[in-house]
Amino acid sequence: MIIVTGGAGFIGSNFVIDWLAQSDEPVLVLDCLTYAGNLGNLRSIEAHPNFEFVRGDITDRPMLDALLARTQPRAIIHFAAESHVDRSIHGPSAFIRTNIEGSFTLLEATRVWWSALPETRKSSFRFLHVSTDEVYGTLSATDPAFSETTPYAPNSPYAASKAASDHLVRAWHHTYGLPVLTTNCSNNYGPFQFPEKLIPLMIVNALAAKPLPVYGDGRQIRDWLYVGDHCSAVRAVLERGRCGETYNIGGHNEQANIDIVRTVCELLDERRPDPAGPRARLITHVTDRPGHDRRYAIDARKIERELGWHPAETFATGIRRTIDWYLGHADWIADVQSGAYREWIAAQYGQGRSA
Ligand code: NAD
Ligand code: TYD
């Protein structure tokens, strides 16, 4: 079986749902259910015989030791993290705790358990660390895209904490021989993304006729990848990636934020016209994010060449799927916005439940 940390979040839940649709191998989600963890994301698979959920924190070493001893996984896919740049600016300590201390604790628990395995199981085990392109810092308009050899230059507390975890993962391979893989992916979008990130925030605000806050001039560039393509890339790296290597994952889709917001407005206008007029009227330029990285771009040629991975969605198809998903899941949006999903978690887990 495999363990997926952070599997109740945006990308992790997409990964687990896709996994169970394509594989007979059991999957266990380990997630402590922060504000970003939502069991509602996993509702479609909660009764699946190959699915198990454990509420637990990756900084909890005794819990991790017990979980590894009980489950004997053949791989750990490590998504769990604090993931929002703006939150990291307002309160970096949770990022240091989960992204650095949590990754360290998970690596150590894994190493100690793994060291005692028989040789064949030791060599087939994988620890796959899911990271971000933000570790590479920012690009000018003419710089070449980030490759796997671009020096790390993280600029936000979030990026610095992810960079630190990448370095720990690297060191656990070089020093202890732990069979690790690292992926550095560009901005994801798709179903189940918490409406604090650009695309879902714009969708839910536009549907509610609220202002659409664009930071600064809106000309910052990101590379956008549909979440299902990130998940297929992670599966490819897990099955065929070379231990100790890092793989950049991207969508060949660089766009300025303002253009993304305009596209979201146009598609919503097309699918659900607003009698008050085009939603672009709601675009509001607000104070820029401190230290805002200007441009990210990914050179994904290594994963394409070595593992034969390519994204299945273009931005044109992926954004339509995403908008249709949000339009069809008003209940999910309402639960997230009202906090009802958290009340349910408190009722379900208030008495404590562990590995
Ligand atoms: P998310 O914030 O939606 O989900 C994170 C999940 O981790 C939540 O379910 C949360 O409850 C859980 N979690 C947080 N702290 C934990 C802890 N201490 N113990 C156990 N669980 C904990 O994040 P996401 O957008 O799905 O990102 C997943 C991973 O992918 C992160 O590592 C992130 O850095 C990386 N990534 C994200 C993007 C993106 O665009 N969203 C791009 C590249 C890489
Ligand atoms: P975000 O989704 O937070 O991802 P990241 O900061 O990890 O790239 O933001 C994507 C881009 O959109 C980033 O340049 C900041 C910008 N942005 C806005 O302009 N307005 C917003 O309300 C948000 C959340 C982001």
Side-chain angles (χ1 to χ4, degrees):
M1 55 86 73
I2 62 165
I3 291 178
V4 174
T5 72
F10 162 49
I11 307 173
S13 60
N14 277 282
F15 180 84
V16 170
I17 291 166
D18 288 359
W19 182 272
L20 288 174
Q22 300 183 19
S23 166
D24 292 332
E25 191 172 15
V27 54
L28 182 147
V29 166
L30 173 67
D31 196 303
C32 73
L33 301 176
T34 67
Y35 78 96
N38 181 350
L39 286 179
N41 298 355
L42 298 168
R43 197 147 294 151
S44 66
I45 50 157
E46 66 188 0
H48 195 291
N50 283 342
F51 174 69
E52 181 180 350
F53 177 80
V54 169
R55 188 177 192 187
D57 193 309
I58 56 165
T59 60
D60 181 348
R61 178 67 190 272
M63 179 279 296
L64 291 172
D65 289 342
L67 185 69
L68 291 168
R70 168 169 80 83
T71 59
Q72 301 289 319
R74 72 123 176 146
I76 295 175
I77 323 296
H78 179 32
F79 288 97
E82 290 291 338
S83 68
H84 188 38
V85 174
D86 294 315
R87 282 181 189 258
S88 82
I89 295 168
H90 293 292
S93 63
F95 290 73
I96 305 305
R97 185 179 165 279
T98 284
N99 300 0
I100 304 180
E101 285 177 34
S103 296
F104 160 71
T105 309
L106 184 63
L107 278 167
E108 264 300 81
T110 304
R111 178 184 72 81
V112 168
W113 163 80
W114 168 85
S115 302
L117 292 177
E119 278 313 315
T120 49
R121 284 197 46 217
K122 257 176 114 167
S123 57
S124 63
F125 176 77
R126 295 289 180 272
F127 183 103
L128 192 156
H129 175 58
V130 178
S131 191
T132 167
D133 60 357
E134 304 195 24
V135 299
Y136 298 121
T138 189
L139 296 169
S140 75
T142 51
D143 284 334
F146 302 131
S147 76
E148 288 79 1
T149 55
T150 301
Y152 274 32
N155 289 322
S156 70
Y158 164 66
S161 67
K162 291 296 292 188
S165 63
D166 293 9
H167 291 324
L168 292 174
V169 170
R170 176 189 163 91
W172 261 241
H173 176 70
H174 283 271
T175 304
Y176 304 112
L178 191 68
V180 305
L181 300 151
T182 296
T183 56
N184 294 88
C185 188
S186 59
N187 284 58
N188 285 213
Y189 65 98
F192 301 118
Q193 188 167 29
F194 196 80
E196 63 181 355
K197 307 278 169 67
L198 181 71
I199 289 179
L201 181 74
M202 296 300 147
I203 296 172
V204 303
N205 278 14
L207 287 173
K210 288 186 182 163
L212 307 179
V214 171
Y215 299 161
D217 63 4
R219 301 305 317 168
Q220 303 85 1
I221 291 172
R222 298 288 182 268
D223 172 65
W224 293 93
L225 181 70
Y226 186 72
V227 64
D229 284 324
H230 187 184
C231 295
S232 72
V234 169
R235 291 195 302 274
V237 172
L238 177 65
E239 299 315 333
R240 303 191 293 283
R242 288 182 288 132
C243 282
E245 293 288 317
T246 70
Y247 294 88
N248 282 359
I249 304 168
H252 300 295
N253 176 54
E254 284 184 55
Q255 292 206 48
N257 293 339
I258 188 70
D259 296 330
I260 296 280
V261 175
R262 289 209 181 100
T263 301
V264 167
C265 289
E266 283 161 20
L267 289 172
L268 286 174
D269 290 345
E270 184 186 298
R271 285 179 163 49
R272 192 168 293 175
D274 180 350
R279 268 126 175 153
R281 74 184 191 283
L282 301 168
I283 293 175
T284 310
H285 288 267
V286 299
T287 309
D288 207 352
R289 172 189 280 172
H292 198 171
D293 286 337
R294 199 66 187 163
R295 173 175 167 243
Y296 302 147
I298 279 275
D299 176 346
R301 281 178 296 181
K302 178 176 173 181
I303 187 171
E304 292 171 355
R305 188 180 61 242
E306 290 191 11
L307 307 184
W309 172 85
H310 296 276
E313 301 285 345
T314 63
F315 188 71
T317 59
I319 192 68
R320 279 182 170 73
R321 284 183 73 167
T322 303
I323 297 233
D324 287 342
W325 187 87
Y326 280 89
L327 287 174
H329 289 80
D331 49 346
W332 184 91
I333 296 175
D335 275 1
V336 167
Q337 289 190 315
S338 71
Y341 77 109
R342 308 239 10 111
E343 285 157 27
W344 188 83
I345 288 166
Q348 173 85 352
Y349 292 101
Q351 305 310 310
R353 183 172 147 183
S354 66

